[in-house]
């Protein structure tokens, strides 16, 4: 997860990330298996990841809006 954004995340943030998120977390496993570089030229990576989170956690745009307000 952090390797692809190495220019934006420093060592301190990496340490925090590793302490807060278990290595066996589903999203960590997905990130270690899938190389998202195929998306860089075709669509914004963040949008793809948001769609993946919506699917995995059964969220909708309406539910996200309610949480945010």
């Amino acid at each position: 997860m952090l390797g692809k954004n190495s220019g934006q995340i420093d060592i301190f943030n990496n340490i925090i990330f590793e302490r807060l998120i278990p290595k066996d977390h589903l999203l960590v496993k997905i990130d270690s298996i899938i190389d998202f570089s195929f998306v860089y030229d075709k669509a914004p990576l963040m949008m793809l990841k948001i769609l993946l989170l919506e699917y995995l956690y059964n969220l909708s745009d309406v539910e996200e809006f309610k949480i945010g307000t």
Side-chain angles (χ1 to χ4, degrees):
M1 182 178 286
L2 296 176
K4 295 167 190 74
N5 297 324
S6 60
Q8 298 175 3
I9 299 185
D10 60 17
I11 294 171
F12 181 70
N13 288 333
N14 193 19
I15 292 170
I16 292 172
F17 173 82
E18 289 176 354
R19 289 188 181 186
L20 293 177
I21 301 173
K23 293 185 188 296
D24 63 342
H25 191 280
L26 175 63
L27 298 178
V28 173
K29 289 179 182 179
I30 289 172
D31 191 62
S32 69
I33 293 171
I34 299 174
D35 177 16
F36 287 102
S37 64
F38 72 94
V39 179
Y40 293 149
D41 294 333
K42 300 189 186 321
L45 182 60
M46 187 64 71
M47 290 299 296
L48 177 71
K49 288 184 175 185
I50 289 171
L51 291 172
L52 180 62
L53 289 172
E54 286 178 350
Y55 174 76
L56 290 174
Y57 292 102
N58 197 25
L59 300 172
S60 70
D61 291 335
V62 174
E63 290 172 354
E64 289 176 10
F65 181 73
K66 288 179 186 175
I67 292 170
T69 57

